[in-house]
Amino acid sequence: MGAAFATFCIWILMTVFWALIGVAVPLIIPEKIENRRLIQTMLLLTSVSCYTFWLCIFLMQLNPLIGPELEIRTAQAIVEEWQS
């Protein structure tokens, strides 16, 4: 329960962070700047790209496809040591 709640909190925190970068920050750019729309688009695309990258890495760590490769003797030694 605790690990699932912590995972959910991290996901919410990062989602809010990148949503603020992609939505709120482009809105506060002054209208005096000549390339305002370009800067807004760059901020939005950057936040979407960074969030997508972070989400992919985060999800891969939750359920890894490849586990650690141990030799049989090492695995046996771990089992013997951890049982005592």
Side-chain angles (χ1 to χ4, degrees):
M1 175 76 181
F5 181 71
T7 302
F8 182 71
C9 288
I10 291 171
W11 178 74
I12 291 293
L13 180 69
M14 291 303 290
T15 301
V16 168
F17 173 76
W18 286 113
L20 286 174
I21 298 287
V23 177
V25 173
L27 293 177
I28 62 172
I29 296 176
E31 293 184 15
K32 299 175 188 175
I33 297 178
E34 183 178 337
N35 296 323
R36 180 176 188 247
R37 300 296 287 171
L38 178 64
I39 294 171
Q40 288 175 332
T41 304
M42 287 171 33
L43 286 170
L44 180 66
L45 288 176
T46 299
S47 67
V48 168
S49 299
C50 288
Y51 178 72
T52 304
F53 180 75
W54 176 84
L55 186 63
C56 288
I57 299 301
F58 185 71
L59 292 176
M60 282 191 285
Q61 290 178 3
L62 287 178
N63 189 14
L65 295 176
I66 300 171
E69 297 178 11
L70 299 174
E71 295 179 12
I72 294 174
R73 294 189 66 166
T74 307
Q76 289 172 347
I78 290 173
V79 169
E80 289 176 11
E81 288 294 323
W82 286 359
Q83 285 181 353
S84 56

